[in-house]
Amino acid sequence: MIPQDLKAELLDVAQEAARRAGALLRDGRPADLAVAATKSSPIDVVTEMDIAAEKLITGILAERRPADGLLGEEGADSPGTSGVRWVVDPLDGTVNYLYGLPSWGVSIAAEYRGETVVGVVAAPMRGETYHAVLGGGAWSGTARLACRPDAPLDRALIATGFGYLQTRRAHQAEVAARIIPVVRDIRRGGSAALDLCDVAAGRLDGYWERGLNPWDLAAGELIAREAGALTGGRPSEPASGELALAATPAVFAPLQLLLDEAGAWHD
């Protein structure tokens, strides 16, 4: 059992780090990034911003929680000695960021003895920051989040994502083609963290994706779950790189079964 004061401290640290990294990414992005850049390519600039945001976050964590472990998208990986490990995605939605689309965010989660206990996702271009503490509900600012009221699968709006590998994308398109006739519609937002938060906020009935990393998933999954959504992977398995799924209770089981039958968990 994690002490309440430690939960509060971890939330405060995560919120500060996400806020400052989000501001760095928002204010540091060149206005013409999608069409021209001062470096060899726009991708180089995005990579630099990604690394700079992670460096800012890891600096804050090192200053305020020096004994904690860390797993970050840009290569940070240390075990720590406190029982706390941070799981950090400094820029989730990189392609959206490159093109000037607003759906990107900073995702920071804290695990205690292997269990995610705090999640924060900052979406600067939306002007929103989502957070959850294990057992304490999910929030956007001071507004408590709740997933949508239960509706049948044929009236469900579902989001998904596609990987970068061509063979994986082709199979993911086949899976989506199996799902779209039996749901209201499908969306592709481009940020796993924000898709999970949109399930929490009642903007989506469900979301699935294959190929997510722990830093894509950790904060958003906790936020979705604390808002009343169910989360998992294949039947009877947790969310993982094979398959991650979050949905309202009525949508979760039938969508999970359809995804499993469609082979959404393999390429």
Side-chain angles (χ1 to χ4, degrees), residues 3-244:
Q4 289 296 326
D5 59 345
L6 178 55
K7 282 186 185 179
E9 180 184 352
L10 297 178
L11 176 61
D12 183 63
V13 173
Q15 287 177 320
E16 178 191 355
R19 175 182 56 79
R20 290 176 57 183
L24 171 71
L25 290 163
R26 181 195 63 215
D27 299 340
R29 182 189 181 281
D32 60 349
L33 177 59
V35 293
T38 57
K39 302 294 182 181
S40 58
S41 76
I43 297 296
D44 292 337
V45 180
V46 173
T47 301
E48 284 191 6
M49 295 301 297
D50 205 330
I51 293 171
E54 182 160 310
K55 184 177 180 181
L56 174 63
I57 293 166
T58 56
I60 293 169
L61 298 180
E63 178 182 350
R64 297 193 57 181
R65 300 281 312 175
D68 293 349
L70 176 66
L71 178 65
E73 183 187 19
E74 293 303 323
D77 189 0
S78 58
T81 59
S82 66
V84 173
R85 183 177 77 154
W86 296 92
V87 184
V88 174
D89 189 342
L91 176 52
D92 187 65
T94 306
V95 175
N96 287 345
Y97 184 81
L98 170 64
Y99 277 80
L101 293 168
S103 291
W104 56 267
V106 179
S107 175
I108 302 177
E111 299 173 343
Y112 181 69
R113 297 179 179 173
E115 182 177 30
T116 304
V117 294
V118 165
V120 174
V121 175
M125 304 309 293
R126 291 185 176 187
E128 296 175 339
T129 298
Y130 314 91
H131 74 270
V133 175
L134 183 64
W139 304 80
S140 176
T142 59
R144 186 156 190 166
L145 300 178
C147 63
R148 291 184 66 81
D150 281 338
L153 188 63
D154 63 357
R155 294 209 299 272
L157 182 63
I158 308 296
T160 191
F162 299 100
Y164 291 111
L165 297 176
Q166 192 173 39
T167 53
R168 173 169 292 179
R169 291 168 63 85
H171 182 62
Q172 287 172 321
E174 293 172 4
V175 172
R178 293 271 297 271
I179 301 300
I180 197 167
V182 296
V183 299
R184 182 190 293 270
D185 207 348
I186 286 180
R187 296 289 183 267
R188 197 277 199 254
S191 164
L194 293 189
D195 283 340
L196 289 161
C197 290
D198 282 343
V199 173
R203 294 167 175 162
L204 294 167
D205 296 284
Y207 159 75
W208 93 88
E209 190 162 348
R210 168 165 165 75
L212 296 182
N213 294 295
W215 47 81
D216 301 312
L217 182 62
E221 184 189 19
L222 179 65
I223 293 166
R225 199 165 58 242
E226 285 291 326
L230 301 180
T231 67
R234 296 192 68 191
S236 303
E237 294 184 10
S240 71
E242 266 195 343
L243 180 65

